[in-house]
């Protein structure tokens, strides 16, 4: 009971800080996620046994020049392509090899194009229209939280068939499907809220956009969680850190969104281009 209370308080505090930063200003949002990114990077570097001050410099430079003050949109597009490619490569390694090669031989590739770029695109999502709009990024986090919550509840209650037992024994197909349904239900509520409060800014296609985002978040978020589980398994640890009581490290909380954010941003860019 005590563990549940600690976990709940820790989770509520984390969500409150994230929501506050999103709806205060872009600067507060960038500052918070720079610190979250730095902590996540520290935990990730420890997992892959890489001691590097250069990685923190690259993180700061990437967030400033490719997110806060974009110096070249073509550079962002190139980073997006490379990030999606590397993430899909990690997914391939998750399924077909016993160890992720990037974990052993190409650590900086994973650091730059998986972790750092994940935060770059996470912080670019609310800017995809050219103005800072927290609705999309807040919505994405709600979809992530809904997916995680429903996956846990449905998986614990009805889970019988393992999703990828050798990587994450507790994850089940039923849990994944429950998370997908929960995320889609959350997307309907998000659309209803936005269409009620911001009716002039919601186009006729917004509902299918939010449902599509729910599917992307559920699928790629689950893959991101499994990839982090494999990193931890190779490192021989249970959690990436201990900063958040009852939850582990910051990386444990952000693994889904870090992996999914390039694909979310790519989807939003395609929608913006087509429309």
């Amino acid at each position: 009971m005590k563990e549940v209370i600690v976990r709940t308080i820790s989770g509520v505090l984390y969500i409150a800080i994230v929501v506050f930063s999103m709806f205060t200003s872009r600067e507060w949002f960038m500052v918070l996620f720079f610190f979250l990114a730095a902590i996540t990077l520290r935990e990730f570097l420890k997992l892959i046994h890489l001691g590097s001050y250069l990685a923190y410099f690259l993180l700061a430079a990437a967030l400033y020049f490719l997110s806060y003050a974009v110096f070249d949109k073509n550079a962002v597009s190139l980073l997006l392509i490379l990030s999606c490619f590397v993430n899909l490569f990690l997914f391939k390694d998750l399924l077909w090899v016993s160890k992720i090669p990037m974990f052993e031989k190409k650590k900086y590739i994973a650091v730059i194009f998986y972790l750092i770029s994940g935060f770059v695109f996470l912080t670019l999502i609310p800017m995809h229209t050219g103005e800072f709009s927290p609705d999309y990024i807040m919505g994405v986090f709600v979809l992530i939280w809904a997916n995680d919550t429903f996956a846990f509840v449905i998986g614990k209650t009805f889970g019988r068939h393992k999703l990828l037992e050798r990587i994450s024994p507790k994850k089940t197909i039923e849990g994944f499907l429950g998370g997908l349904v929960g995320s889609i239900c959350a997307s309907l509520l998000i659309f209803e809220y936005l269409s009620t409060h911001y009716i002039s800014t919601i186009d006729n296609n917004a509902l299918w956009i939010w449902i599509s985002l729910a599917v992307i978040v559920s699928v790629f978020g689950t893959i991101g969680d499994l990839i982090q589980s494999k990193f931890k398994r190779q490192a021989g640890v249970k959690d990436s850190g201990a900063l958040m009581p009852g939850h582990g490290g910051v990386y444990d909380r952000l693994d889904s969104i870090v992996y999914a954010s390039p694909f979310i941003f790519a989807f939003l860019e395609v929608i913006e281009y087509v429309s």
Side-chain angles (χ1 to χ4, degrees):
M1 184 64 181
K2 181 180 178 181
E3 183 181 350
V4 174
I5 294 174
V6 170
R7 183 181 175 88
T8 300
I9 293 174
S10 178
V12 169
L13 182 61
Y14 161 70
I15 292 173
I17 293 172
V18 170
V19 173
F20 172 80
S21 72
M22 288 178 183
F23 289 95
T24 302
S25 68
R26 186 187 179 199
E27 285 69 28
W28 274 105
F29 174 74
M30 291 297 300
V31 167
L32 173 66
F33 277 91
F34 170 73
F35 281 111
L36 291 178
I39 296 169
T40 303
L41 178 58
R42 178 178 177 274
E43 294 174 352
F44 184 67
L45 292 177
K46 184 180 292 187
L47 279 182
I48 63 174
H49 308 297
L50 178 63
S52 172
Y53 291 108
L54 175 61
Y56 295 98
F57 171 78
L58 292 174
L59 171 65
L63 285 177
Y64 184 81
F65 291 109
L66 295 174
S67 180
Y68 183 70
V70 178
F71 81 98
D72 188 343
K73 290 186 177 181
N74 291 326
V76 175
S77 298
L78 177 60
L79 180 65
L80 180 62
I81 293 170
L82 292 173
S83 298
C84 290
F85 176 79
V86 169
N87 279 357
L88 291 175
F89 196 93
L90 286 171
F91 178 49
K92 184 267 293 183
D93 286 341
L94 173 71
L95 297 177
W96 287 302
V97 300
S98 59
K99 292 185 177 181
I100 299 177
M102 288 186 199
F103 183 92
E104 298 171 335
K105 302 175 182 178
K106 304 174 181 177
K107 295 179 179 180
Y108 268 103
I109 292 179
V111 167
I112 295 170
F113 297 109
Y114 160 61
L115 195 78
I116 292 178
S117 67
F119 279 98
V120 168
F121 293 110
L122 189 159
T123 53
L124 278 173
I125 289 172
M127 288 295 297
H128 82 280
T129 60
E131 297 180 358
F132 181 69
S133 175
D135 295 335
Y136 268 109
I137 189 61
M138 187 66 247
V140 166
F141 268 92
V142 170
L143 295 178
I144 288 281
W145 294 331
N147 177 75
D148 290 348
T149 301
F150 276 80
F152 175 77
V153 172
I154 299 299
K156 193 173 183 62
T157 306
F158 303 104
R160 297 293 182 272
H161 303 88
K162 301 299 182 182
L163 183 62
L164 201 59
E165 188 172 8
R166 62 186 175 86
I167 302 299
S168 185
K170 293 183 179 181
K171 279 188 169 47
T172 62
I173 295 175
E174 292 85 356
F176 167 72
L177 294 176
L180 176 61
V181 171
S183 189
I184 291 175
C185 290
S187 73
L188 300 178
L189 295 176
I190 293 168
F191 171 75
E192 182 66 26
Y193 174 81
L194 291 177
S195 61
T196 301
H197 292 79
Y198 305 100
I199 192 167
S200 61
T201 65
I202 301 298
D203 60 42
N204 294 327
N205 296 322
L207 179 57
W208 74 264
I209 290 175
W210 279 108
I211 293 175
S212 299
L213 282 172
V215 174
I216 293 171
V217 162
S218 184
V219 172
F220 288 101
T222 300
I223 294 172
D225 190 37
L226 288 170
I227 287 173
Q228 196 234 18
S229 293
K230 189 160 188 174
F231 276 130
K232 291 191 294 185
R233 185 172 289 272
Q234 286 183 223
V237 299
K238 181 179 182 293
D239 297 317
S240 64
L243 186 63
M244 298 179 63
H247 292 272
V250 175
Y251 184 30
D252 290 308
R253 292 300 90 209
L254 294 175
D255 54 355
S256 298
I257 187 66
V258 165
Y259 184 86
S261 62
F263 300 101
I264 295 169
F265 184 76
F267 172 74
L268 293 175
E269 286 292 287
V270 170
I271 295 301
E272 189 72 20
Y273 178 79
V274 172
S275 61

